[in-house]
PDB file of all heavy atoms in Angstrom:
ATOM      1  N   MET A  28       0.852  -1.182   0.000  1.00 92.00           N
ATOM      2  CA  MET A  28       0.000   0.000   0.000  1.00 92.00           C
ATOM      3  C   MET A  28       0.888   1.232   0.000  1.00 92.00           C
ATOM      4  O   MET A  28       1.824   1.314   0.792  1.00 92.00           O
ATOM      5  CB  MET A  28      -0.895   0.019   1.233  1.00 92.00           C
ATOM      6  CG  MET A  28      -2.043  -0.928   1.168  1.00 92.00           C
ATOM      7  SD  MET A  28      -3.056  -0.905   2.657  1.00 92.00           S
ATOM      8  CE  MET A  28      -3.622   0.760   2.700  1.00 92.00           C
ATOM      9  N   VAL A  29       0.583   2.173  -0.895  1.00 91.00           N
ATOM     10  CA  VAL A  29       1.362   3.396  -1.008  1.00 91.00           C
ATOM     11  C   VAL A  29       0.418   4.575  -0.826  1.00 91.00           C
ATOM     12  O   VAL A  29      -0.644   4.626  -1.441  1.00 91.00           O
ATOM     13  CB  VAL A  29       2.051   3.476  -2.390  1.00 91.00           C
ATOM     14  CG1 VAL A  29       2.839   4.755  -2.529  1.00 91.00           C
ATOM     15  CG2 VAL A  29       2.934   2.268  -2.607  1.00 91.00           C
ATOM     16  N   LYS A  30       0.811   5.511   0.023  1.00 92.00           N
ATOM     17  CA  LYS A  30      -0.016   6.692   0.274  1.00 92.00           C
ATOM     18  C   LYS A  30       0.308   7.751  -0.769  1.00 92.00           C
ATOM     19  O   LYS A  30       1.457   8.109  -0.986  1.00 92.00           O
ATOM     20  CB  LYS A  30       0.259   7.232   1.673  1.00 92.00           C
ATOM     21  CG  LYS A  30      -0.693   8.325   2.087  1.00 92.00           C
ATOM     22  CD  LYS A  30      -0.513   8.675   3.541  1.00 92.00           C
ATOM     23  CE  LYS A  30      -1.531   9.707   3.956  1.00 92.00           C
ATOM     24  NZ  LYS A  30      -1.418  10.026   5.379  1.00 92.00           N
ATOM     25  N   SER A  31      -0.731   8.276  -1.413  1.00 89.00           N
ATOM     26  CA  SER A  31      -0.572   9.304  -2.431  1.00 89.00           C
ATOM     27  C   SER A  31      -0.218  10.633  -1.770  1.00 89.00           C
ATOM     28  O   SER A  31      -0.895  11.064  -0.845  1.00 89.00           O
ATOM     29  CB  SER A  31      -1.870   9.454  -3.229  1.00 89.00           C
ATOM     30  OG  SER A  31      -1.785  10.564  -4.090  1.00 89.00           O
ATOM     31  N   PRO A  32       0.829  11.311  -2.248  1.00 90.00           N
ATOM     32  CA  PRO A  32       1.191  12.591  -1.648  1.00 90.00           C
ATOM     33  C   PRO A  32       0.170  13.700  -1.936  1.00 90.00           C
ATOM     34  O   PRO A  32       0.015  14.630  -1.152  1.00 90.00           O
ATOM     35  CB  PRO A  32       2.542  12.914  -2.267  1.00 90.00           C
ATOM     36  CG  PRO A  32       2.642  12.084  -3.476  1.00 90.00           C
ATOM     37  CD  PRO A  32       1.763  10.893  -3.264  1.00 90.00           C
ATOM     38  N   LYS A  33      -0.550  13.589  -3.055  1.00 91.00           N
ATOM     39  CA  LYS A  33      -1.541  14.603  -3.425  1.00 91.00           C
ATOM     40  C   LYS A  33      -2.799  14.526  -2.579  1.00 91.00           C
ATOM     41  O   LYS A  33      -3.208  15.499  -1.952  1.00 91.00           O
ATOM     42  CB  LYS A  33      -1.941  14.443  -4.893  1.00 91.00           C
ATOM     43  CG  LYS A  33      -1.072  15.149  -5.866  1.00 91.00           C
ATOM     44  CD  LYS A  33      -1.700  15.049  -7.245  1.00 91.00           C
ATOM     45  CE  LYS A  33      -0.913  15.808  -8.277  1.00 91.00           C
ATOM     46  NZ  LYS A  33      -1.501  15.670  -9.593  1.00 91.00           N
ATOM     47  N   THR A  34      -3.438  13.343  -2.583  1.00 93.00           N
ATOM     48  CA  THR A  34      -4.751  13.209  -1.959  1.00 93.00           C
ATOM     49  C   THR A  34      -4.708  12.592  -0.575  1.00 93.00           C
ATOM     50  O   THR A  34      -5.656  12.716   0.188  1.00 93.00           O
ATOM     51  CB  THR A  34      -5.668  12.349  -2.839  1.00 93.00           C
ATOM     52  OG1 THR A  34      -5.110  11.033  -2.937  1.00 93.00           O
ATOM     53  CG2 THR A  34      -5.836  12.940  -4.221  1.00 93.00           C
ATOM     54  N   GLY A  35      -3.653  11.876  -0.262  1.00 92.00           N
ATOM     55  CA  GLY A  35      -3.578  11.191   1.024  1.00 92.00           C
ATOM     56  C   GLY A  35      -4.254   9.836   1.006  1.00 92.00           C
ATOM     57  O   GLY A  35      -4.273   9.141   2.013  1.00 92.00           O
ATOM     58  N   ALA A  36      -4.820   9.440  -0.133  1.00 95.00           N
ATOM     59  CA  ALA A  36      -5.486   8.140  -0.253  1.00 95.00           C
ATOM     60  C   ALA A  36      -4.442   7.047  -0.488  1.00 95.00           C
ATOM     61  O   ALA A  36      -3.367   7.295  -1.021  1.00 95.00           O
ATOM     62  CB  ALA A  36      -6.479   8.171  -1.412  1.00 95.00           C
ATOM     63  N   TYR A  37      -4.772   5.829  -0.076  1.00 93.00           N
ATOM     64  CA  TYR A  37      -3.874   4.699  -0.279  1.00 93.00           C
ATOM     65  C   TYR A  37      -4.223   3.984  -1.571  1.00 93.00           C
ATOM     66  O   TYR A  37      -5.392   3.804  -1.907  1.00 93.00           O
ATOM     67  CB  TYR A  37      -3.964   3.719   0.888  1.00 93.00           C
ATOM     68  CG  TYR A  37      -3.273   4.220   2.124  1.00 93.00           C
ATOM     69  CD1 TYR A  37      -3.974   4.884   3.114  1.00 93.00           C
ATOM     70  CD2 TYR A  37      -1.915   4.029   2.288  1.00 93.00           C
ATOM     71  CE1 TYR A  37      -3.331   5.346   4.249  1.00 93.00           C
ATOM     72  CE2 TYR A  37      -1.256   4.489   3.419  1.00 93.00           C
ATOM     73  CZ  TYR A  37      -1.967   5.146   4.394  1.00 93.00           C
ATOM     74  OH  TYR A  37      -1.323   5.604   5.505  1.00 93.00           O
ATOM     75  N   THR A  38      -3.197   3.555  -2.301  1.00 92.00           N
ATOM     76  CA  THR A  38      -3.369   2.754  -3.503  1.00 92.00           C
ATOM     77  C   THR A  38      -2.514   1.498  -3.353  1.00 92.00           C
ATOM     78  O   THR A  38      -1.545   1.490  -2.601  1.00 92.00           O
ATOM     79  CB  THR A  38      -2.948   3.515  -4.772  1.00 92.00           C
ATOM     80  OG1 THR A  38      -1.580   3.903  -4.635  1.00 92.00           O
ATOM     81  CG2 THR A  38      -3.797   4.740  -4.998  1.00 92.00           C
ATOM     82  N   PHE A  39      -2.887   0.451  -4.078  1.00 93.00           N
ATOM     83  CA  PHE A  39      -2.143  -0.797  -4.043  1.00 93.00           C
ATOM     84  C   PHE A  39      -1.249  -0.889  -5.265  1.00 93.00           C
ATOM     85  O   PHE A  39      -1.679  -0.632  -6.381  1.00 93.00           O
ATOM     86  CB  PHE A  39      -3.106  -1.991  -4.024  1.00 93.00           C
ATOM     87  CG  PHE A  39      -3.868  -2.102  -2.743  1.00 93.00           C
ATOM     88  CD1 PHE A  39      -5.134  -1.562  -2.621  1.00 93.00           C
ATOM     89  CD2 PHE A  39      -3.315  -2.744  -1.652  1.00 93.00           C
ATOM     90  CE1 PHE A  39      -5.839  -1.654  -1.440  1.00 93.00           C
ATOM     91  CE2 PHE A  39      -4.008  -2.846  -0.463  1.00 93.00           C
ATOM     92  CZ  PHE A  39      -5.267  -2.303  -0.354  1.00 93.00           C
ATOM     93  N   VAL A  40      -0.004  -1.288  -5.041  1.00 92.00           N
ATOM     94  CA  VAL A  40       0.956  -1.507  -6.114  1.00 92.00           C
ATOM     95  C   VAL A  40       1.388  -2.956  -6.016  1.00 92.00           C
ATOM     96  O   VAL A  40       1.808  -3.411  -4.948  1.00 92.00           O
ATOM     97  CB  VAL A  40       2.179  -0.577  -5.971  1.00 92.00           C
ATOM     98  CG1 VAL A  40       3.189  -0.845  -7.059  1.00 92.00           C
ATOM     99  CG2 VAL A  40       1.746   0.875  -5.981  1.00 92.00           C
ATOM    100  N   SER A  41       1.254  -3.705  -7.104  1.00 92.00           N
ATOM    101  CA  SER A  41       1.647  -5.110  -7.073  1.00 92.00           C
ATOM    102  C   SER A  41       2.604  -5.407  -8.217  1.00 92.00           C
ATOM    103  O   SER A  41       2.587  -4.743  -9.253  1.00 92.00           O
ATOM    104  CB  SER A  41       0.422  -6.016  -7.168  1.00 92.00           C
ATOM    105  OG  SER A  41      -0.197  -5.852  -8.409  1.00 92.00           O
ATOM    106  N   ALA A  42       3.434  -6.423  -8.010  1.00 92.00           N
ATOM    107  CA  ALA A  42       4.390  -6.847  -9.023  1.00 92.00           C
ATOM    108  C   ALA A  42       4.706  -8.319  -8.810  1.00 92.00           C
ATOM    109  O   ALA A  42       4.678  -8.802  -7.674  1.00 92.00           O
ATOM    110  CB  ALA A  42       5.654  -6.017  -8.941  1.00 92.00           C
ATOM    111  N   ILE A  43       5.011  -9.009  -9.897  1.00 91.00           N
ATOM    112  CA  ILE A  43       5.431 -10.407  -9.843  1.00 91.00           C
ATOM    113  C   ILE A  43       6.914 -10.434 -10.183  1.00 91.00           C
ATOM    114  O   ILE A  43       7.317  -9.910 -11.215  1.00 91.00           O
ATOM    115  CB  ILE A  43       4.616 -11.279 -10.818  1.00 91.00           C
ATOM    116  CG1 ILE A  43       3.155 -11.262 -10.396  1.00 91.00           C
ATOM    117  CG2 ILE A  43       5.163 -12.697 -10.858  1.00 91.00           C
ATOM    118  CD1 ILE A  43       2.241 -12.019 -11.319  1.00 91.00           C
ATOM    119  N   MET A  44       7.709 -11.036  -9.294  1.00 91.00           N
ATOM    120  CA  MET A  44       9.160 -10.993  -9.461  1.00 91.00           C
ATOM    121  C   MET A  44       9.812 -12.205  -8.820  1.00 91.00           C
ATOM    122  O   MET A  44       9.132 -13.020  -8.189  1.00 91.00           O
ATOM    123  CB  MET A  44       9.705  -9.723  -8.815  1.00 91.00           C
ATOM    124  CG  MET A  44       9.510  -9.699  -7.321  1.00 91.00           C
ATOM    125  SD  MET A  44       9.675  -8.117  -6.587  1.00 91.00           S
ATOM    126  CE  MET A  44       8.142  -7.398  -7.052  1.00 91.00           C
ATOM    127  N   ALA A  45      11.123 -12.298  -8.952  1.00 89.00           N
ATOM    128  CA  ALA A  45      11.890 -13.356  -8.303  1.00 89.00           C
ATOM    129  C   ALA A  45      11.907 -13.097  -6.798  1.00 89.00           C
ATOM    130  O   ALA A  45      11.876 -11.941  -6.371  1.00 89.00           O
ATOM    131  CB  ALA A  45      13.304 -13.386  -8.848  1.00 89.00           C
ATOM    132  N   PRO A  46      11.938 -14.149  -5.984  1.00 90.00           N
ATOM    133  CA  PRO A  46      11.900 -13.974  -4.528  1.00 90.00           C
ATOM    134  C   PRO A  46      13.040 -13.113  -3.978  1.00 90.00           C
ATOM    135  O   PRO A  46      12.884 -12.458  -2.956  1.00 90.00           O
ATOM    136  CB  PRO A  46      12.002 -15.399  -3.983  1.00 90.00           C
ATOM    137  CG  PRO A  46      11.545 -16.271  -5.091  1.00 90.00           C
ATOM    138  CD  PRO A  46      11.893 -15.566  -6.356  1.00 90.00           C
ATOM    139  N   GLU A  47      14.185 -13.075  -4.652  1.00 90.00           N
ATOM    140  CA  GLU A  47      15.324 -12.304  -4.168  1.00 90.00           C
ATOM    141  C   GLU A  47      15.077 -10.797  -4.262  1.00 90.00           C
ATOM    142  O   GLU A  47      15.695 -10.013  -3.550  1.00 90.00           O
ATOM    143  CB  GLU A  47      16.586 -12.632  -4.973  1.00 90.00           C
ATOM    144  CG  GLU A  47      17.002 -14.090  -4.926  1.00 90.00           C
ATOM    145  CD  GLU A  47      16.261 -14.947  -5.942  1.00 90.00           C
ATOM    146  OE1 GLU A  47      15.949 -14.449  -7.033  1.00 90.00           O
ATOM    147  OE2 GLU A  47      15.978 -16.109  -5.618  1.00 90.00           O
ATOM    148  N   LEU A  48      14.171 -10.369  -5.138  1.00 89.00           N
ATOM    149  CA  LEU A  48      13.949  -8.948  -5.380  1.00 89.00           C
ATOM    150  C   LEU A  48      12.824  -8.351  -4.529  1.00 89.00           C
ATOM    151  O   LEU A  48      12.579  -7.151  -4.591  1.00 89.00           O
ATOM    152  CB  LEU A  48      13.625  -8.733  -6.858  1.00 89.00           C
ATOM    153  CG  LEU A  48      14.672  -9.234  -7.851  1.00 89.00           C
ATOM    154  CD1 LEU A  48      14.172  -9.070  -9.274  1.00 89.00           C
ATOM    155  CD2 LEU A  48      15.981  -8.524  -7.652  1.00 89.00           C
ATOM    156  N   VAL A  49      12.143  -9.174  -3.734  1.00 89.00           N
ATOM    157  CA  VAL A  49      10.975  -8.709  -2.982  1.00 89.00           C
ATOM    158  C   VAL A  49      11.350  -7.642  -1.959  1.00 89.00           C
ATOM    159  O   VAL A  49      10.676  -6.616  -1.848  1.00 89.00           O
ATOM    160  CB  VAL A  49      10.262  -9.895  -2.295  1.00 89.00           C
ATOM    161  CG1 VAL A  49       9.183  -9.404  -1.353  1.00 89.00           C
ATOM    162  CG2 VAL A  49       9.660 -10.812  -3.345  1.00 89.00           C
ATOM    163  N   SER A  50      12.408  -7.857  -1.216  1.00 89.00           N
ATOM    164  CA  SER A  50      12.771  -6.881  -0.176  1.00 89.00           C
ATOM    165  C   SER A  50      13.116  -5.529  -0.787  1.00 89.00           C
ATOM    166  O   SER A  50      12.774  -4.490  -0.216  1.00 89.00           O
ATOM    167  CB  SER A  50      13.930  -7.403   0.663  1.00 89.00           C
ATOM    168  OG  SER A  50      15.066  -7.617  -0.148  1.00 89.00           O
ATOM    169  N   ASP A  51      13.762  -5.503  -1.950  1.00 90.00           N
ATOM    170  CA  ASP A  51      14.063  -4.243  -2.625  1.00 90.00           C
ATOM    171  C   ASP A  51      12.780  -3.538  -3.062  1.00 90.00           C
ATOM    172  O   ASP A  51      12.658  -2.319  -2.942  1.00 90.00           O
ATOM    173  CB  ASP A  51      14.957  -4.459  -3.842  1.00 90.00           C
ATOM    174  CG  ASP A  51      16.335  -4.938  -3.460  1.00 90.00           C
ATOM    175  OD1 ASP A  51      16.776  -4.639  -2.319  1.00 90.00           O
ATOM    176  OD2 ASP A  51      16.984  -5.595  -4.290  1.00 90.00           O
ATOM    177  N   PHE A  52      11.800  -4.306  -3.547  1.00 89.00           N
ATOM    178  CA  PHE A  52      10.526  -3.742  -3.974  1.00 89.00           C
ATOM    179  C   PHE A  52       9.769  -3.123  -2.804  1.00 89.00           C
ATOM    180  O   PHE A  52       9.222  -2.030  -2.913  1.00 89.00           O
ATOM    181  CB  PHE A  52       9.679  -4.834  -4.639  1.00 89.00           C
ATOM    182  CG  PHE A  52       8.270  -4.404  -4.969  1.00 89.00           C
ATOM    183  CD1 PHE A  52       8.018  -3.544  -6.027  1.00 89.00           C
ATOM    184  CD2 PHE A  52       7.206  -4.861  -4.226  1.00 89.00           C
ATOM    185  CE1 PHE A  52       6.728  -3.156  -6.331  1.00 89.00           C
ATOM    186  CE2 PHE A  52       5.898  -4.467  -4.517  1.00 89.00           C
ATOM    187  CZ  PHE A  52       5.679  -3.624  -5.585  1.00 89.00           C
ATOM    188  N   LEU A  53       9.771  -3.803  -1.669  1.00 87.00           N
ATOM    189  CA  LEU A  53       9.045  -3.317  -0.508  1.00 87.00           C
ATOM    190  C   LEU A  53       9.741  -2.114   0.157  1.00 87.00           C
ATOM    191  O   LEU A  53       9.091  -1.283   0.750  1.00 87.00           O
ATOM    192  CB  LEU A  53       8.827  -4.441   0.504  1.00 87.00           C
ATOM    193  CG  LEU A  53       7.915  -5.562   0.022  1.00 87.00           C
ATOM    194  CD1 LEU A  53       7.870  -6.672   1.054  1.00 87.00           C
ATOM    195  CD2 LEU A  53       6.522  -5.061  -0.276  1.00 87.00           C
ATOM    196  N   GLU A  54      11.052  -2.039   0.051  1.00 88.00           N
ATOM    197  CA  GLU A  54      11.807  -0.926   0.615  1.00 88.00           C
ATOM    198  C   GLU A  54      11.653   0.345  -0.206  1.00 88.00           C
ATOM    199  O   GLU A  54      11.654   1.442   0.332  1.00 88.00           O
ATOM    200  CB  GLU A  54      13.297  -1.271   0.687  1.00 88.00           C
ATOM    201  CG  GLU A  54      13.612  -2.435   1.584  1.00 88.00           C
ATOM    202  CD  GLU A  54      13.645  -2.051   3.042  1.00 88.00           C
ATOM    203  OE1 GLU A  54      14.050  -0.934   3.333  1.00 88.00           O
ATOM    204  OE2 GLU A  54      13.269  -2.900   3.871  1.00 88.00           O
TER     205      GLU A  54
END
């Protein structure tokens, strides 16, 4: 979940990737 800087609303961002890259995506 990512909070929009403009409106303050939360949006969902999803991606399919290799397990090694998950921590980088979440950070």
Side-chain angles (χ1 to χ4, degrees):
M28 284 179 61
V29 179
K30 188 171 184 178
S31 172
K33 273 187 177 178
T34 63
Y37 285 95
T38 58
F39 291 95
V40 178
S41 65
I43 297 177
M44 65 197 76
E47 301 84 34
L48 303 175
V49 172
S50 61
D51 293 334
F52 173 74
L53 294 175
E54 297 280 326

